[in-house]
Amino acid sequence: MKSKETALDAALNQVKDGMTIMIGGFLGQNAPLACIDRLVERGVKDLTLITAVNAYVGGGFGMGKLIENKQIKKYIGSHIGTCPAAVEQYKSGELEVEYYPQGTVIEKIRAGGAGLGGVLTPVGIGTLMEEGKQKVVIDGKEYLVETAIKADVAIIRGYKADKVGNILYRGTPNSNPVMALAADYVIAEVDYVVEPGEIAPDRVGTPGILVDAVVLGYGEEKTQEIFKNLWVRDKKLA
Amino acid sequence: MKSKETALDAALNQVKDGMTIMIGGFLGQNAPLACIDRLVERGVKDLTLITAVNAYVGGGFGMGKLIENKQIKKYIGSHIGTCPAAVEQYKSGELEVEYYPQGTVIEKIRAGGAGLGGVLTPVGIGTLMEEGKQKVVIDGKEYLVETAIKADVAIIRGYKADKVGNILYRGTPNSNPVMALAADYVIAEVDYVVEPGEIAPDRVGTPGILVDAVVLGYGEEKTQEIFKNLWVRDKKLA
Amino acid sequence: MNARELIARRAAQEFKDGFVMNLGFGIPVLAASYIPEGVNVILQAENGIFEFEAVTKVGEQDAYIADAACQPTKILPGGCTVDLAMSFAIIRGGHVDATVLGALEVDQEGNIANWALPAGPGKWMPGMGGAMDLLVGAKKVICTLQHTNKKGESKILKKCALPLSAAKAVDLIITELAVMEVTPQGLVLKEVAPGVAVDEVKAVTEADLIVPDSVPEMVL
Amino acid sequence: MNARELIARRAAQEFKDGFVMNLGFGIPVLAASYIPEGVNVILQAENGIFEFEAVTKVGEQDAYIADAACQPTKILPGGCTVDLAMSFAIIRGGHVDATVLGALEVDQEGNIANWALPAGPGKWMPGMGGAMDLLVGAKKVICTLQHTNKKGESKILKKCALPLSAAKAVDLIITELAVMEVTPQGLVLKEVAPGVAVDEVKAVTEADLIVPDSVPEMVL
């Protein structure tokens, strides 16, 4: 058995200028913060970013830094409003934005990972979402054809991984398990790496066969501290 | 909080002649055996059965009994060969059979439960599966439109449920979690019913909001005995 | 009582016991503070939680659990987490009984515009997030908004001008002046706010309002 | 060595270290007994298990864990369970490195028929199970079958006569007589079984066989 545990930089070597990447997390929560921070330092650029929503409100945190640092050429997701830099760059023409309803984003990713050409959704019928898309009628009802998307690299956030890449999630897994299906190279940032067998088979949220590299992130203690400080700063906690 | 714990017969009153039902399980394993056995006794008929595969090899067990008892008018799934009664009734014209590849069956069910009109799959292109179906071309590649299906009642098998219907699975959950999305009335047969909060939030495989009735099945001890005897009889165990 | 509180209090009356509900940010979340006694609803956070409440005291938070606004959150007994695909399968699949959300504009056919503000030629922001899925998927759509914009112009229109979030999706509109229901016949004035006359509502409503013989006052 | 064992032994050589593999019933499962030393593959059971092995001793079984043939099964360290949608997402999505499965017929274009036997007019049995998904989704498709049917007729055809399971899906065909590869140029004879002459293979092969100058014997 070859261990998939990989040094952060060795894994991030897979992310090259111009690539399409997926990043898990929801407004930065359960997002791969250590990988993102290091990507900012590494300065890889012209990336297309696929994500469910966007950065934590106000910027300066998580994937907001990638956008502030102008490493993202194109954003594919459901919302940019939480990230002031994204809004500014979109207005100025520096950032291309491709919107999909959040439920559609995750289905497009799932379709990409599951070998489907796409899904038929009623969401978006009668709206701008129809533009340039095929429609299919089933029993007299119209559906949009929403095609599959994939990425070169997906960076996801788990809690524990074993050395063969099985991932256990903690809290809300959000988009992470689906993104693990849909990229050529999947990096899982976790707090703990354990031996195979230490995660019970029915506690595995992402099978190890989908994961290419397991990297240690900031760890549990620092993660708790990061969010406590963030939430206290923003008066969500007192 | 109203408890969803329901007497077996009270729950099965929802299954009426002529209805479409889904039954979880894979060759009878992790299938709702107590509900099935009682449906046989109750004699409800002209059912359309949606299931991933079919009965345990050789018949006389699980959903095989429903077919042997001629309660099923139409079978929708991927395989009938394990159930001699199904093969006979299909040949004689008593049983209508609608085949889909197993991965397509589960996607059709998921689409039904997830509010999608269907999915686009490459599986079946160039085969009999094309008959009567729409096709969509994406980037020059053909896909079959496989439309959503739903049931009047889904009968699934979990291990534990809490009183608000959250389900914890043991072993292979197979089609059960997907079927829980895709029926007007969802019956979950389990071995244990516990109080809300006793199943950790991240151990829930099917959210309680999807489940209408929780019924006690044969229980863990008898389930172990049933399968031990079955497997010994068939020389899978010695 | 200010307009927000009034709308929230009235919206809270649409919370029915046992409902699975998804609440937009702002007034809809505020409405949860006014749920009538004896009514228990199951809240969904679209990032993948059922049955939760915000935690606001340092020490009670867990970095791994937050709601769809990234507010630290506690999962209540009987609650659970799911991934994003399941969360939206549940939304789009009709398993959410009601959603309450805001709007920029809403019209008499139940069309709603709530995500797209002009950001340049062919550019819109901030993005729809999960709203379009909720509008299509939830069994009942309740739209809460101020009756007029800052210029005093009606947000209850004959036809939405901004890009739609969904067509013919809204069931009930609640403002600080009125409750209106979208019906096959048109937009029906169901209730007026305490002390507000029907004519006052009509004066600031661009939509054609069907006014029954008797329009009761909201009971707040 | 009988035909089944020979085919299984040769098929086992296609198991590569680290491969995720899905094995059909019969010869493909038998092949797993002959995996070369030092080669570890991750087996998938399509009902939703990765890394497992059969248990055959009373007392070792668990009623809640069985493979896709309902054989009591033990999950090995590093293994896991998934639901059926995920299991087939993984299959169809190209995450399985190779599948080995049987066939009723296979042809020189890589078409394969492995599920539909006539059961009456327009009726077929026993059903495709997960085979069609595997044929389309697995990165490499290895077809193991006896070279001829009971009547001595070739099962390696110019064109399949039975309903197809998938078009142009098969990469490698292994019989008790030969190993053949489906290439853009046609069906290439890669190896013959020990003691079998090329002409013997050609004599019982309906398909057009491309025969290289030198055809090595299988090393078993």
Side-chain angles (χ1 to χ4, degrees):
Chain A
M1 189 231 21
K2 258 179 309 209
S3 172
K4 291 182 177 173
E5 194 173 355
T6 308
L8 197 66
D9 272 302
L12 292 181
N13 281 341
Q14 296 289 329
V15 183
K16 298 183 173 65
D17 290 354
M19 274 190 170
T20 296
I21 63 169
M22 287 176 187
I23 298 183
F26 200 99
L27 300 177
Q29 202 262 328
N30 265 337
L33 296 179
C35 282
I36 295 170
D37 288 348
R38 189 77 189 113
L39 278 180
V40 171
E41 289 165 3
R42 290 169 64 102
V44 56
K45 59 184 193 298
D46 294 329
L47 299 172
T48 294
L49 170 65
I50 301 173
T51 186
V53 279
N54 205 306
Y56 182 78
V57 178
F61 186 82
M63 68 173 68
K65 296 188 207 172
L66 276 173
I67 296 170
E68 288 153 17
N69 203 31
K70 303 200 174 176
Q71 295 173 262
I72 309 297
K73 185 185 59 180
K74 181 174 177 178
Y75 164 90
I76 299 176
S78 70
H79 201 276
I80 61 168
T82 57
C83 182
V87 173
E88 281 320 302
Q89 290 173 31
Y90 177 48
K91 285 183 175 174
S92 72
E94 284 172 285
L95 178 69
E96 192 184 341
V97 172
E98 200 171 296
Y99 287 119
Y100 297 98
Q102 196 174 147
T104 298
V105 176
I106 200 73
E107 284 299 318
K108 286 169 78 79
I109 297 169
R110 181 177 182 276
L116 298 170
V119 296
L120 306 178
T121 181
V123 177
I125 287 287
T127 78
L128 288 180
M129 288 298 112
E130 288 196 4
E131 272 178 26
K133 284 180 195 154
Q134 299 185 62
K135 283 193 253 184
V136 168
V137 177
I138 298 169
D139 294 337
K141 187 173 170 184
E142 278 192 331
Y143 296 91
L144 289 185
V145 171
E146 288 286 4
T147 56
I149 50 178
K150 291 193 71 170
D152 297 302
V153 179
I155 309 176
I156 66 167
R157 170 74 158 105
Y159 181 57
K160 288 186 186 176
D162 66 21
K163 288 180 177 170
V164 295
N166 290 305
I167 308 294
L168 177 147
Y169 294 98
R170 172 168 170 182
T172 46
N174 65 64
S175 60
N176 292 296
V178 178
M179 287 181 175
L181 273 168
D184 294 337
Y185 191 83
V186 175
I187 301 169
E189 176 179 325
V190 296
D191 293 333
Y192 302 94
V193 181
V194 301
E195 293 300 319
E198 289 189 45
I199 301 175
D202 55 5
R203 290 293 277 122
V204 171
T206 290
I209 65 148
L210 297 174
V211 173
D212 296 287
V214 170
V215 304
L216 276 171
Y218 290 131
E220 180 167 358
E221 199 178 331
K222 188 159 173 201
T223 297
Q224 291 290 6
E225 195 188 317
I226 287 169
F227 280 91
K228 188 186 79 175
N229 294 340
L230 188 72
W231 287 334
V232 166
R233 183 196 79 182
D234 291 350
K235 304 189 172 26
K236 290 176 188 288
L237 286 178
Chain B
M1 189 230 20
K2 260 178 305 207
S3 171
K4 291 182 177 175
E5 193 173 357
T6 307
L8 197 66
D9 273 301
L12 293 181
N13 282 340
Q14 296 290 327
V15 183
K16 298 184 173 68
D17 290 355
M19 274 190 170
T20 296
I21 63 170
M22 289 178 185
I23 299 183
F26 201 99
L27 300 177
Q29 200 261 329
N30 266 337
L33 297 179
C35 282
I36 295 170
D37 288 349
R38 190 75 190 113
L39 277 180
V40 171
E41 287 165 5
R42 291 170 63 102
V44 56
K45 58 183 193 299
D46 295 328
L47 299 173
T48 294
L49 170 66
I50 301 174
T51 186
V53 281
N54 205 305
Y56 182 78
V57 178
F61 186 81
M63 68 173 69
K65 297 190 208 173
L66 275 173
I67 296 169
E68 289 153 17
N69 203 30
K70 304 202 174 174
Q71 296 173 262
I72 309 296
K73 184 185 61 179
K74 181 173 178 180
Y75 165 90
I76 299 176
S78 71
H79 201 275
I80 61 168
T82 56
C83 181
V87 172
E88 282 321 303
Q89 290 173 30
Y90 176 48
K91 284 183 176 172
S92 71
E94 283 171 287
L95 179 70
E96 192 184 341
V97 172
E98 200 171 295
Y99 287 121
Y100 297 98
Q102 195 174 149
T104 298
V105 177
I106 200 72
E107 284 299 321
K108 285 170 79 77
I109 296 170
R110 182 177 181 275
L116 299 169
V119 296
L120 306 177
T121 181
V123 177
I125 288 286
T127 78
L128 288 182
M129 288 298 113
E130 288 196 6
E131 272 178 27
K133 283 180 196 155
Q134 299 185 62
K135 284 194 252 183
V136 169
V137 177
I138 298 170
D139 293 339
K141 186 171 171 185
E142 276 191 332
Y143 297 90
L144 290 186
V145 172
E146 288 285 5
T147 56
I149 49 178
K150 290 193 74 170
D152 297 302
V153 179
I155 309 176
I156 66 166
R157 170 74 157 107
Y159 180 56
K160 288 186 187 177
D162 66 21
K163 288 182 176 170
V164 297
N166 290 303
I167 307 295
L168 179 147
Y169 295 98
R170 173 168 170 182
T172 46
N174 63 63
S175 59
N176 291 298
V178 178
M179 287 180 175
L181 273 168
D184 294 336
Y185 192 83
V186 175
I187 300 169
E189 175 180 324
V190 297
D191 292 334
Y192 302 94
V193 181
V194 300
E195 293 300 318
E198 288 189 45
I199 302 175
D202 54 5
R203 290 292 278 121
V204 171
T206 290
I209 63 148
L210 297 174
V211 173
D212 296 287
V214 170
V215 304
L216 276 171
Y218 290 132
E220 180 165 358
E221 201 177 329
K222 187 158 175 202
T223 297
Q224 291 289 6
E225 196 188 318
I226 287 169
F227 280 91
K228 188 187 80 176
N229 294 340
L230 188 73
W231 287 334
V232 166
R233 182 196 81 182
D234 291 350
K235 304 190 172 25
K236 290 176 188 286
L237 286 177
Chain C
M1 191 186 318
N2 66 22
R4 281 170 57 88
E5 184 184 334
L6 188 149
I7 299 170
R9 282 186 181 272
R10 179 58 190 81
Q13 296 172 17
E14 301 300 319
F15 290 41
K16 306 298 178 196
D17 195 38
F19 263 27
V20 178
M21 296 188 75
N22 188 299
L23 307 179
F25 307 130
I27 293 174
V29 167
L30 186 60
S33 320
Y34 303 114
I35 303 179
E37 190 106 2
V39 171
N40 290 296
V41 301
I42 298 170
L43 292 184
Q44 179 201 31
E46 70 253 33
N47 59 323
I49 314 180
F50 291 91
E51 285 269 37
F52 64 95
E53 64 183 28
V55 303
T56 54
K57 245 205 213 138
V58 171
E60 289 179 353
Q61 83 282 1
D62 178 345
Y64 301 84
I65 304 175
D67 68 11
C70 205
Q71 173 70 39
T73 294
K74 170 169 81 179
I75 301 173
L76 301 172
C80 68
T81 55
V82 296
D83 76 8
L84 204 62
M86 180 58 112
S87 186
F88 277 88
I90 286 170
I91 287 173
R92 204 180 30 234
H95 308 284
V96 171
D97 294 300
T99 186
V100 186
L101 29 65
L104 301 163
E105 299 173 348
V106 62
D107 73 26
Q108 63 198 42
E109 291 179 10
N111 298 313
I112 175 170
N114 81 342
W115 75 269
L117 285 167
K123 292 184 182 177
W124 305 96
M125 53 165 250
M128 69 289 285
M132 290 175 74
D133 305 275
L134 278 161
L135 287 164
V136 171
K139 286 187 205 153
K140 183 167 187 177
V141 173
I142 298 158
C143 181
T144 54
L145 77 173
Q146 310 245 4
H147 211 98
T148 54
N149 66 19
K150 284 171 192 160
K151 296 185 202 158
E153 297 160 341
S154 177
K155 295 204 268 187
I156 321 298
L157 304 174
K158 287 190 192 349
K159 196 91 191 166
C160 289
L162 288 169
L164 295 189
S165 304
K168 298 188 169 64
V170 176
D171 297 295
L172 199 70
I173 302 166
I174 300 174
T175 75
E176 77 282 17
L177 301 180
V179 177
M180 292 151 284
E181 189 182 3
V182 180
T183 74
Q185 288 71 44
L187 190 63
V188 177
L189 182 63
K190 300 292 284 185
E191 298 173 21
V192 290
V196 173
V198 166
D199 282 348
E200 289 176 65
V201 175
K202 287 171 78 172
V204 291
T205 305
E206 197 230 12
D208 298 318
L209 262 189
I210 298 172
V211 182
D213 290 344
S214 147
V215 179
E217 270 196 4
M218 298 178 195
V219 179
L220 294 168
Chain D
M1 192 184 321
N2 66 23
R4 280 170 56 87
E5 183 183 334
L6 187 148
I7 298 170
R9 281 185 180 274
R10 179 57 189 83
Q13 296 172 18
E14 301 300 319
F15 289 42
K16 306 299 178 196
D17 194 37
F19 263 27
V20 178
M21 296 189 74
N22 187 298
L23 308 179
F25 306 131
I27 295 174
V29 166
L30 186 62
S33 320
Y34 303 113
I35 303 179
E37 189 106 5
V39 171
N40 290 296
V41 300
I42 298 169
L43 292 185
Q44 180 201 30
E46 69 254 33
N47 59 325
I49 314 180
F50 292 90
E51 286 268 40
F52 64 95
E53 64 183 26
V55 302
T56 54
K57 245 205 215 137
V58 172
E60 289 179 352
Q61 84 282 1
D62 178 345
Y64 301 84
I65 304 174
D67 69 12
C70 206
Q71 174 70 39
T73 295
K74 169 167 83 180
I75 300 172
L76 301 172
C80 68
T81 54
V82 296
D83 77 7
L84 204 62
M86 180 58 113
S87 187
F88 277 87
I90 287 170
I91 287 172
R92 202 180 33 233
H95 308 285
V96 171
D97 294 301
T99 186
V100 186
L101 28 65
L104 301 163
E105 298 173 348
V106 62
D107 73 26
Q108 63 198 44
E109 292 179 9
N111 299 314
I112 175 169
N114 80 342
W115 75 271
L117 287 165
K123 292 184 182 178
W124 306 95
M125 49 163 254
M128 69 290 284
M132 290 175 74
D133 304 275
L134 278 161
L135 287 164
V136 170
K139 287 187 203 152
K140 184 169 188 175
V141 172
I142 298 157
C143 181
T144 55
L145 75 175
Q146 309 246 5
H147 210 97
T148 55
N149 65 20
K150 285 169 193 163
K151 299 184 201 158
E153 297 160 342
S154 176
K155 295 206 268 188
I156 321 297
L157 305 173
K158 287 190 194 343
K159 196 91 190 166
C160 289
L162 287 169
L164 295 189
S165 304
K168 300 188 167 69
V170 177
D171 298 295
L172 199 70
I173 301 166
I174 301 174
T175 75
E176 77 282 17
L177 301 180
V179 177
M180 292 152 284
E181 189 182 3
V182 179
T183 75
Q185 289 71 45
L187 190 63
V188 177
L189 182 63
K190 301 292 285 186
E191 299 173 21
V192 289
V196 173
V198 167
D199 282 348
E200 291 177 63
V201 176
K202 286 171 81 173
V204 292
T205 304
E206 196 231 14
D208 298 319
L209 262 189
I210 299 172
V211 182
D213 292 345
S214 146
V215 179
E217 269 194 4
M218 296 179 195
V219 180
L220 294 168

